[in-house]
Amino acid sequence: MNITAYRVIRWSGLSAILAGILFIVIQAIHPPEILSSVTTKAWAIVHYMTLAMSLLGLLGITGIYARQVHAAGWTGLAGFLLFGLFWTATTAFTFVEAFVLPVIAADAPGFVEGYLGIFAGSSAVSNLGLLPGVAPVGGGLYVLGGLLLGIAAFRAGILPRWTAVLLACAAVSTLASSLLPHPLDRVLAVPMGIALAGMGYAVWSERSLEAAQRQVRKQHGGRKNESHRI
């Protein structure tokens, strides 16, 4: 099988589908963010899934952006970069939650509780330096990146516009998380999961790009044949 730009973009769409599904499932099965949960199997499974989701999400939005790069403009580029930074940061912090916190939970419970409090919305019980400032920065990347990428996708009109609208609205709706107690605010992640999965499916199932790629190869092959005749 030849590796073409079309195939790379198409399979990144499948990554977005899986990331969207995982984003929704994880919200439903996430254990309480308390010290006693950190050493459980449920905690490990959920955070392994979150690592996979973050990496798949990064690959997925790369393909989503690449599919419409010529029409997305600077808005699309800014949205892609900001949203990509969010998924990258999520990968880094989830790695700590999956592999570091369970190991040090018994010896440094204050640090673990403080770390969990960053994302659970509770006050830290340990001096974590600059880490508590990461949550609002990550939230800003999520909101602004998703909003800009959604606007760019809507204006480009290449992917279904309902997915672009849902992506933008899902990103902005996170601002309302302060109105809901944790962990009920996790329900706000469901629209984002649907938007990612919808965009990913549109990229993965699209045939028009494949037809265009075949036409280009056919024309290129015709030129080669003509040059041989000459």
Side-chain angles (χ1 to χ4, degrees), residues 157-182:
I158 295 173
L159 302 179
R161 281 195 163 96
W162 71 265
T163 61
V165 172
L166 188 59
L167 179 69
C169 291
V172 174
S173 69
T174 306
L175 297 174
S177 60
S178 60
L179 303 177
L180 296 174
H182 190 75

PDB file of all heavy atoms in Angstrom, residues 157-182:
ATOM      1  N   GLY A 157     -16.031  25.163   5.379  1.00  0.00           N
ATOM      2  CA  GLY A 157     -17.140  24.431   4.773  1.00  0.00           C
ATOM      3  C   GLY A 157     -16.763  23.104   4.159  1.00  0.00           C
ATOM      4  O   GLY A 157     -17.521  22.553   3.351  1.00  0.00           O
ATOM      5  N   ILE A 158     -15.622  22.553   4.517  1.00  0.00           N
ATOM      6  CA  ILE A 158     -15.188  21.271   3.963  1.00  0.00           C
ATOM      7  C   ILE A 158     -15.759  20.110   4.773  1.00  0.00           C
ATOM      8  O   ILE A 158     -16.247  19.130   4.210  1.00  0.00           O
ATOM      9  CB  ILE A 158     -13.649  21.211   3.912  1.00  0.00           C
ATOM     10  CG1 ILE A 158     -13.119  22.254   2.924  1.00  0.00           C
ATOM     11  CG2 ILE A 158     -13.171  19.813   3.531  1.00  0.00           C
ATOM     12  CD1 ILE A 158     -11.612  22.391   2.914  1.00  0.00           C
ATOM     13  N   LEU A 159     -15.710  20.229   6.084  1.00  0.00           N
ATOM     14  CA  LEU A 159     -16.307  19.228   6.968  1.00  0.00           C
ATOM     15  C   LEU A 159     -17.725  19.665   7.321  1.00  0.00           C
ATOM     16  O   LEU A 159     -18.075  20.835   7.166  1.00  0.00           O
ATOM     17  CB  LEU A 159     -15.457  19.098   8.240  1.00  0.00           C
ATOM     18  CG  LEU A 159     -13.989  18.715   8.018  1.00  0.00           C
ATOM     19  CD1 LEU A 159     -13.259  18.650   9.350  1.00  0.00           C
ATOM     20  CD2 LEU A 159     -13.859  17.402   7.273  1.00  0.00           C
ATOM     21  N   PRO A 160     -18.571  18.736   7.757  1.00  0.00           N
ATOM     22  CA  PRO A 160     -19.949  19.110   8.107  1.00  0.00           C
ATOM     23  C   PRO A 160     -19.980  20.274   9.091  1.00  0.00           C
ATOM     24  O   PRO A 160     -19.299  20.257  10.126  1.00  0.00           O
ATOM     25  CB  PRO A 160     -20.503  17.829   8.745  1.00  0.00           C
ATOM     26  CG  PRO A 160     -19.697  16.734   8.133  1.00  0.00           C
ATOM     27  CD  PRO A 160     -18.326  17.291   7.945  1.00  0.00           C
ATOM     28  N   ARG A 161     -20.759  21.279   8.770  1.00  0.00           N
ATOM     29  CA  ARG A 161     -20.757  22.488   9.590  1.00  0.00           C
ATOM     30  C   ARG A 161     -21.312  22.257  10.988  1.00  0.00           C
ATOM     31  O   ARG A 161     -20.955  22.980  11.916  1.00  0.00           O
ATOM     32  CB  ARG A 161     -21.531  23.599   8.872  1.00  0.00           C
ATOM     33  CG  ARG A 161     -20.715  24.279   7.773  1.00  0.00           C
ATOM     34  CD  ARG A 161     -21.358  25.594   7.347  1.00  0.00           C
ATOM     35  NE  ARG A 161     -20.430  26.443   6.618  1.00  0.00           N
ATOM     36  CZ  ARG A 161     -20.339  26.505   5.294  1.00  0.00           C
ATOM     37  NH1 ARG A 161     -21.127  25.745   4.552  1.00  0.00           N
ATOM     38  NH2 ARG A 161     -19.465  27.294   4.717  1.00  0.00           N
ATOM     39  N   TRP A 162     -22.183  21.255  11.152  1.00  0.00           N
ATOM     40  CA  TRP A 162     -22.719  21.013  12.487  1.00  0.00           C
ATOM     41  C   TRP A 162     -21.611  20.581  13.444  1.00  0.00           C
ATOM     42  O   TRP A 162     -21.647  20.898  14.638  1.00  0.00           O
ATOM     43  CB  TRP A 162     -23.845  19.975  12.450  1.00  0.00           C
ATOM     44  CG  TRP A 162     -23.416  18.561  12.166  1.00  0.00           C
ATOM     45  CD1 TRP A 162     -23.399  17.922  10.964  1.00  0.00           C
ATOM     46  CD2 TRP A 162     -22.947  17.592  13.130  1.00  0.00           C
ATOM     47  NE1 TRP A 162     -22.945  16.634  11.099  1.00  0.00           N
ATOM     48  CE2 TRP A 162     -22.669  16.403  12.416  1.00  0.00           C
ATOM     49  CE3 TRP A 162     -22.738  17.617  14.504  1.00  0.00           C
ATOM     50  CZ2 TRP A 162     -22.189  15.250  13.037  1.00  0.00           C
ATOM     51  CZ3 TRP A 162     -22.254  16.469  15.126  1.00  0.00           C
ATOM     52  CH2 TRP A 162     -21.994  15.309  14.392  1.00  0.00           C
ATOM     53  N   THR A 163     -20.598  19.864  12.909  1.00  0.00           N
ATOM     54  CA  THR A 163     -19.487  19.455  13.773  1.00  0.00           C
ATOM     55  C   THR A 163     -18.653  20.668  14.179  1.00  0.00           C
ATOM     56  O   THR A 163     -18.157  20.735  15.305  1.00  0.00           O
ATOM     57  CB  THR A 163     -18.596  18.425  13.070  1.00  0.00           C
ATOM     58  OG1 THR A 163     -18.030  19.003  11.875  1.00  0.00           O
ATOM     59  CG2 THR A 163     -19.392  17.190  12.699  1.00  0.00           C
ATOM     60  N   ALA A 164     -18.505  21.629  13.264  1.00  0.00           N
ATOM     61  CA  ALA A 164     -17.748  22.846  13.577  1.00  0.00           C
ATOM     62  C   ALA A 164     -18.466  23.670  14.634  1.00  0.00           C
ATOM     63  O   ALA A 164     -17.845  24.179  15.579  1.00  0.00           O
ATOM     64  CB  ALA A 164     -17.541  23.668  12.310  1.00  0.00           C
ATOM     65  N   VAL A 165     -19.782  23.808  14.492  1.00  0.00           N
ATOM     66  CA  VAL A 165     -20.571  24.562  15.467  1.00  0.00           C
ATOM     67  C   VAL A 165     -20.508  23.881  16.832  1.00  0.00           C
ATOM     68  O   VAL A 165     -20.324  24.534  17.876  1.00  0.00           O
ATOM     69  CB  VAL A 165     -22.028  24.694  15.000  1.00  0.00           C
ATOM     70  CG1 VAL A 165     -22.892  25.302  16.102  1.00  0.00           C
ATOM     71  CG2 VAL A 165     -22.107  25.546  13.738  1.00  0.00           C
ATOM     72  N   LEU A 166     -20.636  22.560  16.839  1.00  0.00           N
ATOM     73  CA  LEU A 166     -20.609  21.819  18.098  1.00  0.00           C
ATOM     74  C   LEU A 166     -19.245  21.927  18.765  1.00  0.00           C
ATOM     75  O   LEU A 166     -19.150  22.062  19.995  1.00  0.00           O
ATOM     76  CB  LEU A 166     -20.967  20.351  17.854  1.00  0.00           C
ATOM     77  CG  LEU A 166     -21.165  19.485  19.103  1.00  0.00           C
ATOM     78  CD1 LEU A 166     -22.275  20.051  19.981  1.00  0.00           C
ATOM     79  CD2 LEU A 166     -21.471  18.042  18.708  1.00  0.00           C
ATOM     80  N   LEU A 167     -18.172  21.876  17.966  1.00  0.00           N
ATOM     81  CA  LEU A 167     -16.827  22.009  18.517  1.00  0.00           C
ATOM     82  C   LEU A 167     -16.650  23.357  19.208  1.00  0.00           C
ATOM     83  O   LEU A 167     -16.163  23.444  20.346  1.00  0.00           O
ATOM     84  CB  LEU A 167     -15.786  21.842  17.407  1.00  0.00           C
ATOM     85  CG  LEU A 167     -14.320  21.991  17.825  1.00  0.00           C
ATOM     86  CD1 LEU A 167     -13.904  20.830  18.711  1.00  0.00           C
ATOM     87  CD2 LEU A 167     -13.410  22.085  16.605  1.00  0.00           C
ATOM     88  N   ALA A 168     -17.048  24.426  18.526  1.00  0.00           N
ATOM     89  CA  ALA A 168     -16.910  25.771  19.089  1.00  0.00           C
ATOM     90  C   ALA A 168     -17.769  25.936  20.342  1.00  0.00           C
ATOM     91  O   ALA A 168     -17.311  26.465  21.363  1.00  0.00           O
ATOM     92  CB  ALA A 168     -17.280  26.815  18.038  1.00  0.00           C
ATOM     93  N   CYS A 169     -19.016  25.474  20.267  1.00  0.00           N
ATOM     94  CA  CYS A 169     -19.927  25.613  21.416  1.00  0.00           C
ATOM     95  C   CYS A 169     -19.467  24.760  22.598  1.00  0.00           C
ATOM     96  O   CYS A 169     -19.565  25.183  23.761  1.00  0.00           O
ATOM     97  CB  CYS A 169     -21.342  25.224  21.010  1.00  0.00           C
ATOM     98  SG  CYS A 169     -22.121  26.367  19.860  1.00  0.00           S
ATOM     99  N   ALA A 170     -18.960  23.560  22.306  1.00  0.00           N
ATOM    100  CA  ALA A 170     -18.479  22.687  23.377  1.00  0.00           C
ATOM    101  C   ALA A 170     -17.290  23.305  24.091  1.00  0.00           C
ATOM    102  O   ALA A 170     -17.171  23.210  25.317  1.00  0.00           O
ATOM    103  CB  ALA A 170     -18.101  21.326  22.803  1.00  0.00           C
ATOM    104  N   ALA A 171     -16.410  23.951  23.320  1.00  0.00           N
ATOM    105  CA  ALA A 171     -15.252  24.601  23.935  1.00  0.00           C
ATOM    106  C   ALA A 171     -15.677  25.749  24.835  1.00  0.00           C
ATOM    107  O   ALA A 171     -15.226  25.873  25.978  1.00  0.00           O
ATOM    108  CB  ALA A 171     -14.308  25.095  22.841  1.00  0.00           C
ATOM    109  N   VAL A 172     -16.575  26.583  24.343  1.00  0.00           N
ATOM    110  CA  VAL A 172     -17.013  27.753  25.106  1.00  0.00           C
ATOM    111  C   VAL A 172     -17.837  27.341  26.323  1.00  0.00           C
ATOM    112  O   VAL A 172     -17.788  27.996  27.378  1.00  0.00           O
ATOM    113  CB  VAL A 172     -17.812  28.708  24.198  1.00  0.00           C
ATOM    114  CG1 VAL A 172     -18.411  29.861  25.008  1.00  0.00           C
ATOM    115  CG2 VAL A 172     -16.931  29.257  23.092  1.00  0.00           C
ATOM    116  N   SER A 173     -18.597  26.248  26.200  1.00  0.00           N
ATOM    117  CA  SER A 173     -19.457  25.819  27.309  1.00  0.00           C
ATOM    118  C   SER A 173     -18.664  25.453  28.548  1.00  0.00           C
ATOM    119  O   SER A 173     -19.205  25.428  29.665  1.00  0.00           O
ATOM    120  CB  SER A 173     -20.319  24.624  26.884  1.00  0.00           C
ATOM    121  OG  SER A 173     -19.522  23.465  26.697  1.00  0.00           O
ATOM    122  N   THR A 174     -17.370  25.181  28.369  1.00  0.00           N
ATOM    123  CA  THR A 174     -16.529  24.858  29.524  1.00  0.00           C
ATOM    124  C   THR A 174     -16.462  26.004  30.511  1.00  0.00           C
ATOM    125  O   THR A 174     -16.214  25.806  31.710  1.00  0.00           O
ATOM    126  CB  THR A 174     -15.106  24.501  29.043  1.00  0.00           C
ATOM    127  OG1 THR A 174     -15.193  23.465  28.058  1.00  0.00           O
ATOM    128  CG2 THR A 174     -14.247  24.000  30.184  1.00  0.00           C
ATOM    129  N   LEU A 175     -16.680  27.218  30.033  1.00  0.00           N
ATOM    130  CA  LEU A 175     -16.675  28.379  30.925  1.00  0.00           C
ATOM    131  C   LEU A 175     -17.771  28.286  31.976  1.00  0.00           C
ATOM    132  O   LEU A 175     -17.697  28.939  33.021  1.00  0.00           O
ATOM    133  CB  LEU A 175     -16.836  29.668  30.105  1.00  0.00           C
ATOM    134  CG  LEU A 175     -15.712  29.970  29.101  1.00  0.00           C
ATOM    135  CD1 LEU A 175     -16.069  31.177  28.255  1.00  0.00           C
ATOM    136  CD2 LEU A 175     -14.388  30.182  29.822  1.00  0.00           C
ATOM    137  N   ALA A 176     -18.788  27.472  31.694  1.00  0.00           N
ATOM    138  CA  ALA A 176     -19.889  27.316  32.644  1.00  0.00           C
ATOM    139  C   ALA A 176     -19.599  26.252  33.699  1.00  0.00           C
ATOM    140  O   ALA A 176     -20.448  25.979  34.555  1.00  0.00           O
ATOM    141  CB  ALA A 176     -21.170  26.949  31.898  1.00  0.00           C
ATOM    142  N   SER A 177     -18.406  25.648  33.640  1.00  0.00           N
ATOM    143  CA  SER A 177     -18.085  24.577  34.589  1.00  0.00           C
ATOM    144  C   SER A 177     -18.087  25.064  36.030  1.00  0.00           C
ATOM    145  O   SER A 177     -18.341  24.285  36.955  1.00  0.00           O
ATOM    146  CB  SER A 177     -16.723  23.968  34.246  1.00  0.00           C
ATOM    147  OG  SER A 177     -15.711  24.951  34.319  1.00  0.00           O
ATOM    148  N   SER A 178     -17.806  26.351  36.218  1.00  0.00           N
ATOM    149  CA  SER A 178     -17.799  26.892  37.582  1.00  0.00           C
ATOM    150  C   SER A 178     -19.195  26.920  38.193  1.00  0.00           C
ATOM    151  O   SER A 178     -19.347  27.028  39.416  1.00  0.00           O
ATOM    152  CB  SER A 178     -17.212  28.304  37.584  1.00  0.00           C
ATOM    153  OG  SER A 178     -17.978  29.164  36.756  1.00  0.00           O
ATOM    154  N   LEU A 179     -20.208  26.813  37.334  1.00  0.00           N
ATOM    155  CA  LEU A 179     -21.579  26.829  37.834  1.00  0.00           C
ATOM    156  C   LEU A 179     -22.038  25.445  38.278  1.00  0.00           C
ATOM    157  O   LEU A 179     -23.083  25.314  38.928  1.00  0.00           O
ATOM    158  CB  LEU A 179     -22.522  27.351  36.746  1.00  0.00           C
ATOM    159  CG  LEU A 179     -22.202  28.741  36.182  1.00  0.00           C
ATOM    160  CD1 LEU A 179     -23.168  29.094  35.058  1.00  0.00           C
ATOM    161  CD2 LEU A 179     -22.252  29.789  37.292  1.00  0.00           C
ATOM    162  N   LEU A 180     -21.268  24.414  37.915  1.00  0.00           N
ATOM    163  CA  LEU A 180     -21.630  23.047  38.264  1.00  0.00           C
ATOM    164  C   LEU A 180     -20.615  22.485  39.251  1.00  0.00           C
ATOM    165  O   LEU A 180     -19.414  22.704  39.105  1.00  0.00           O
ATOM    166  CB  LEU A 180     -21.658  22.154  37.012  1.00  0.00           C
ATOM    167  CG  LEU A 180     -22.700  22.497  35.950  1.00  0.00           C
ATOM    168  CD1 LEU A 180     -22.494  21.628  34.710  1.00  0.00           C
ATOM    169  CD2 LEU A 180     -24.105  22.296  36.496  1.00  0.00           C
ATOM    170  N   PRO A 181     -21.062  21.755  40.252  1.00  0.00           N
ATOM    171  CA  PRO A 181     -20.118  21.149  41.192  1.00  0.00           C
ATOM    172  C   PRO A 181     -19.337  20.021  40.519  1.00  0.00           C
ATOM    173  O   PRO A 181     -19.857  19.329  39.636  1.00  0.00           O
ATOM    174  CB  PRO A 181     -21.029  20.615  42.309  1.00  0.00           C
ATOM    175  CG  PRO A 181     -22.346  20.381  41.635  1.00  0.00           C
ATOM    176  CD  PRO A 181     -22.461  21.439  40.585  1.00  0.00           C
ATOM    177  N   HIS A 182     -18.101  19.854  40.945  1.00  0.00           N
ATOM    178  CA  HIS A 182     -17.298  18.747  40.434  1.00  0.00           C
ATOM    179  C   HIS A 182     -17.736  17.466  41.139  1.00  0.00           C
ATOM    180  O   HIS A 182     -17.966  17.487  42.349  1.00  0.00           O
ATOM    181  CB  HIS A 182     -15.816  19.031  40.700  1.00  0.00           C
ATOM    182  CG  HIS A 182     -14.888  18.080  40.017  1.00  0.00           C
ATOM    183  ND1 HIS A 182     -14.635  18.147  38.670  1.00  0.00           N
ATOM    184  CD2 HIS A 182     -14.176  17.031  40.491  1.00  0.00           C
ATOM    185  CE1 HIS A 182     -13.779  17.202  38.352  1.00  0.00           C
ATOM    186  NE2 HIS A 182     -13.493  16.506  39.440  1.00  0.00           N
TER     187      HIS A 182
END
